[in-house]
Amino acid sequence: MDGLETQFDETIAADQRIEPRDWMPEAYRKTLIRQIAQHAHSEIIGMQPEGNWILRAPSLRRKAILLAKVQDEAGHGMYLYAAAETLGVDREELTEKLIESKQKYSSIFNYPTLTYADIGVIGWLVDGAAICNQVPLCRCSYGPYARAMIRICKEESFHQRQGYELLLAMVNGTDAQREMVQESTNRWWWPSLMMFGPPDADSPNTQQSMAWGIKRHTNDELRQRFVDMTVPQAAALGITLPDPGLVWNEERSAHDYTEPDWTEFKAVIAGSGPCNAQRIAHRRRAHESGSWVREAAVAYAEKQAAKQEAAA
Amino acid sequence: MSGDENVYDSLTEEHGADTQWAYGHGAFGSGIEDVEAEIASPVPDGVDPSDLAQYCLMLGDDALICSHRLSEWVSNAPELEEEVALANTALDLLGQGRVLLARAAHLGAAADEDVLAYQRGEAEFRNVALAELGDDLDFGRAIARLLLFSTWRLALLSRLTGSRDPVVAAVAGKGVKELTYHRDYAARWTLRLGDGTAQSHDRIQAALDAVWPYVDELFRTSDVERRLVGAGVAVDPAETRAEFDEVLDQVLAAATLTRPQRPGIGTIGGRGGRQGLHTEKLGHVLAEMQSLARQHPGATW
């Protein structure tokens, strides 16, 4: 046991990858399962707020872009569940945990999409924040997760550009479209800042995750990075970020900004966000009303296997 | 924080004065850009441009409306693989529909594809009823409808690759590959459901029974099609019936299902989808699809 643990520690220290067949501490495995499952669930639940506008997309080009994006998210969910499966759990089990609310997903998806500008703002801010969180995961110590993240990050980056491009078209459009972009930004700004998790002082797991090479930067470092990257993007759109405290700090070479309302964050995580119940009920309905289909596929495969065996 | 920021660094760098992105504004977004240039191709000799526009609307509306119905499955499918497959099918059909609508617009039907999709009323749509029927989130219904639709459309498109209209021929050429996959997907699920559990057998049989009355319309030849067959542009849908029946017989037999014996739904005074006469469902599809675009007349997105 000691030898294995030493080997594991050496692999981490040398910034090498842990692979599924390698020995790993039980806590490392559990942390990864929790994190990868949460990430997979976020992709799947995230299809709902965006899917809300596919049927009403205002041009066929926008419809194609949105449909392709939501399809990518289903694909991301598949890679991530597959990465989790290398740790000894299966997708069905994780889905059950999701619909029983025993595992979480990103709290951002507990907010509603109320206008088409939300589709652009989700691409710009939510995918932007996700990219800040996820790019470092491409170097995560667990091989299958790191490899899944490389592919996912490329697609997320494409989604972010598409979201921003929609917003550019809208701010160059009618007054109503411009107002829609500003109103949507006002609503999504704070929840986007919350996507990086609580302040470092309130994030007990960060240090262990960093020691294991799962996490590379603290929540506050990533949040700062996001704010600094978003300010010039907002300026290019000609819109205002809804924080009067947002100013450039010459000394720090970074923007000062107001902390989001962490009471709201905790409340949404605890279940009282505007859409928590709706998202889970939707996922549960889809899963349960599809059970007859999954059962049929299993029964058919068994019959086919039996036929082949009889013929052999 | 260094070494791993290249993805978002490159994002911020491009947000300077140059707000153009790598992909073009007019791109069709589903690999169909190659035919974009052909949309403005001249009308083949001896072909009435308004007939050709009507024909593009028929094939284009079938694709657009069927795509809309398939898109209703997003976040509702029984498994993630089905999420991806159904969305992919919807995207393929949307891509076909966009090129065909753009061609119809170029031929004088409207300013562009979006005016055709978002500003027409029900009576101006030319799709068959099978495309507009709802699945009500019954996967059996989705598979039954897709099996019939894709078998028929593949039979049509495979004959249209030689159309004298270069746009119709290009859409058909690309569409044959797509529809081959759609039909295969639907056929595989028909087998699994038909020969799966007792419950799935009953459900897919009931679904087939429910959509079967809309099959006859697929093979009814409209006047526009008749004229364009003579001009070497269109295919007479009646000619595809034998192939359709043969494929269906084969799939249904393997799936232990019975070919439904329900009477086909007739026309009203000789008019059906191809003449702009639809089921009650289409109005609801359009009400949803067009609501945002109609709230903002003149806006570009």
Side-chain angles (χ1 to χ4, degrees):
Chain A
M1 203 61 174
D2 277 355
L4 290 170
E5 187 144 17
T6 309
Q7 207 175 5
F8 173 85
D9 290 342
E10 284 171 1
T11 305
I12 297 285
D15 214 5
Q16 304 278 307
R17 299 273 188 270
I18 304 293
E19 294 300 334
R21 287 181 192 176
D22 295 340
W23 182 89
M24 61 190 84
E26 216 29 54
Y28 176 85
R29 183 187 300 274
K30 274 194 182 156
T31 298
L32 273 170
I33 290 175
R34 197 191 59 221
Q35 183 172 336
I36 300 173
Q38 186 167 326
H39 192 166
H41 298 330
S42 301
E43 296 282 357
I44 301 309
I45 296 292
M47 295 169 71
Q48 292 179 34
E50 293 182 280
N52 182 37
W53 284 94
I54 291 174
L55 301 177
R56 294 176 290 165
S59 77
L60 296 183
R61 176 170 171 269
R62 293 296 170 200
K63 190 189 287 286
I65 289 172
L66 182 57
L67 186 52
K69 179 186 180 187
V70 177
Q71 184 197 21
D72 282 347
E73 283 159 5
H76 295 172
M78 282 166 60
Y79 318 146
L80 287 164
Y81 284 123
E85 285 180 336
T86 65
L87 293 159
V89 288
D90 68 42
R91 197 204 288 180
E92 177 73 20
E93 181 186 338
L94 297 175
T95 301
E96 290 292 335
K97 284 192 172 149
L98 169 65
I99 61 182
E100 297 292 336
S101 297
K102 287 177 182 160
Q103 281 178 342
K104 294 189 190 312
Y105 53 89
S106 178
S107 62
I108 194 84
F109 299 121
N110 290 316
Y111 291 88
T113 50
L114 302 175
T115 71
Y116 207 76
D118 289 9
I119 297 304
V121 170
I122 286 179
W124 173 40
L125 295 181
V126 175
D127 293 339
I131 290 166
C132 289
N133 272 330
Q134 291 171 5
V135 168
L137 290 173
C138 297
R139 295 191 299 131
C140 160
S141 61
Y142 188 59
Y145 191 28
R147 288 188 289 274
M149 289 318 304
I150 290 171
R151 185 163 172 192
I152 290 172
C153 280
K154 280 186 191 156
E155 293 183 354
E156 293 287 358
S157 168
F158 186 59
H159 296 162
Q160 196 203 14
R161 285 161 188 248
Q162 289 177 321
Y164 193 79
E165 193 260 347
L166 167 61
L167 298 179
L168 271 178
M170 290 182 71
V171 296
N172 288 309
T174 65
D175 288 347
Q177 286 175 302
R178 262 187 301 281
E179 281 163 26
M180 216 187 272
V181 173
Q182 182 64 60
E183 186 277 333
S184 173
T185 304
N186 294 350
R187 252 184 307 117
W188 288 95
W189 173 250
W190 301 109
S192 299
L193 288 185
M194 296 176 195
M195 285 178 69
F196 299 93
D200 292 349
D202 292 332
S203 181
N205 299 322
T206 293
Q207 286 314 313
Q208 179 62 75
S209 279
M210 287 179 76
W212 276 333
I214 296 173
K215 210 170 165 164
R216 299 280 173 176
H217 310 290
T218 71
N219 296 352
D220 287 331
E221 283 170 355
L222 291 165
R223 192 164 14 247
Q224 181 71 56
R225 173 87 207 176
F226 172 73
V227 170
D228 291 338
M229 117 182 167
T230 304
V231 168
Q233 294 170 348
L237 288 174
I239 59 162
T240 315
L241 296 172
D243 178 5
L246 185 60
V247 285
W248 177 251
N249 181 327
E250 197 67 54
E251 232 165 82
R252 291 201 304 122
S253 278
H255 292 88
D256 291 337
Y257 61 91
T258 309
E259 289 285 314
D261 177 358
W262 293 113
T263 322
E264 176 178 316
F265 176 72
K266 283 176 189 153
V268 173
I269 294 224
S272 62
C275 300
N276 297 53
Q278 175 191 333
R279 300 287 184 240
I280 290 294
H282 182 124
R283 185 72 193 96
R284 177 188 287 279
R285 182 182 44 66
H287 187 66
E288 290 178 352
S289 59
S291 63
W292 71 275
V293 175
R294 296 189 298 275
E295 284 160 17
V298 170
Y300 178 78
E302 283 169 357
K303 283 186 196 177
Q304 292 303 109
K307 273 185 202 165
Q308 275 189 357
E309 209 167 295
Chain B
M1 309 249 310
S2 64
D4 56 12
E5 273 79 47
N6 50 342
V7 174
Y8 40 75
D9 276 355
S10 69
L11 280 169
T12 40
E13 278 161 17
E14 289 175 42
H15 293 152
D18 179 15
T19 48
Q20 291 301 306
W21 301 84
Y23 48 92
H25 190 77
F28 280 90
S30 55
I32 209 145
E33 292 83 350
D34 39 333
V35 297
E36 205 179 339
E38 296 181 30
I39 283 164
S41 303
V43 176
D45 286 343
V47 175
D48 177 353
S50 83
D51 274 357
L52 181 54
Q54 285 294 309
Y55 190 55
C56 289
L57 287 180
M58 292 176 188
L59 296 172
D61 288 344
D62 286 343
L64 176 64
I65 301 299
C66 192
S67 170
H68 180 99
R69 286 306 201 182
L70 287 166
S71 301
E72 292 176 349
W73 279 95
V74 167
S75 80
N76 291 299
E79 191 55 284
L80 292 181
E81 284 75 3
E82 277 45 71
E83 285 287 352
V84 172
L86 293 172
N88 197 52
T89 304
L91 263 175
D92 287 344
L93 291 172
L94 179 56
Q96 294 175 18
R98 291 183 63 195
V99 176
L100 289 161
L101 261 50
R103 178 64 166 164
H106 175 75
L107 295 169
D112 60 32
E113 53 165 2
D114 285 331
V115 172
L116 287 172
Y118 293 100
Q119 307 295 333
R120 279 183 298 161
E122 292 157 71
E124 295 165 279
F125 274 76
R126 289 289 176 268
N127 59 284
V128 293
L130 184 66
E132 72 200 34
L133 299 180
D135 296 326
D136 297 328
L137 297 185
D138 176 349
F139 188 71
R141 196 68 85 85
I143 292 302
R145 214 162 54 81
L146 186 60
L147 178 67
L148 304 183
F149 184 83
S150 60
T151 301
W152 168 66
R153 191 169 175 88
L154 178 57
L156 279 181
L157 294 191
S158 61
R159 288 163 175 77
L160 283 170
T161 54
S163 169
R164 283 181 62 227
D165 182 63
V167 178
V168 170
V171 169
K174 185 166 188 291
V176 162
K177 290 175 213 142
E178 295 167 344
L179 266 300
T180 301
Y181 169 77
H182 305 167
R183 189 181 73 173
D184 185 57
Y185 176 79
R188 281 168 190 273
W189 269 110
T190 304
L191 294 185
R192 289 189 195 106
L193 299 177
D195 196 17
T197 63
Q199 185 196 14
S200 70
H201 178 274
D202 292 350
R203 286 187 67 154
I204 186 70
Q205 183 68 59
L208 275 167
D209 291 348
V211 294
W212 199 263
Y214 298 92
V215 165
D216 279 358
E217 183 190 12
L218 307 178
F219 306 102
R220 249 174 237 145
T221 315
S222 67
D223 294 340
V224 169
E225 286 165 307
R226 203 164 284 123
R227 288 195 292 274
L228 289 174
V229 169
V233 166
V235 162
D236 183 349
E239 273 178 29
T240 64
R241 178 97 214 201
E243 179 181 328
F244 176 91
D245 283 339
E246 194 182 329
V247 172
L248 260 293
D249 284 346
Q250 206 181 342
V251 173
L252 296 184
T256 71
L257 295 167
T258 315
R259 189 187 175 96
Q261 295 300 325
R262 298 208 178 175
I265 286 175
T267 57
I268 301 181
R271 297 169 67 217
R274 293 302 192 219
Q275 292 78 31
L277 205 133
H278 296 278
T279 70
E280 291 174 352
K281 303 278 186 190
L282 185 65
H284 297 274
V285 168
L286 298 186
E288 184 161 40
M289 184 172 88
Q290 299 177 338
S291 60
L292 178 57
R294 285 183 184 262
Q295 271 172 41
H296 297 271
T300 48
W301 302 84

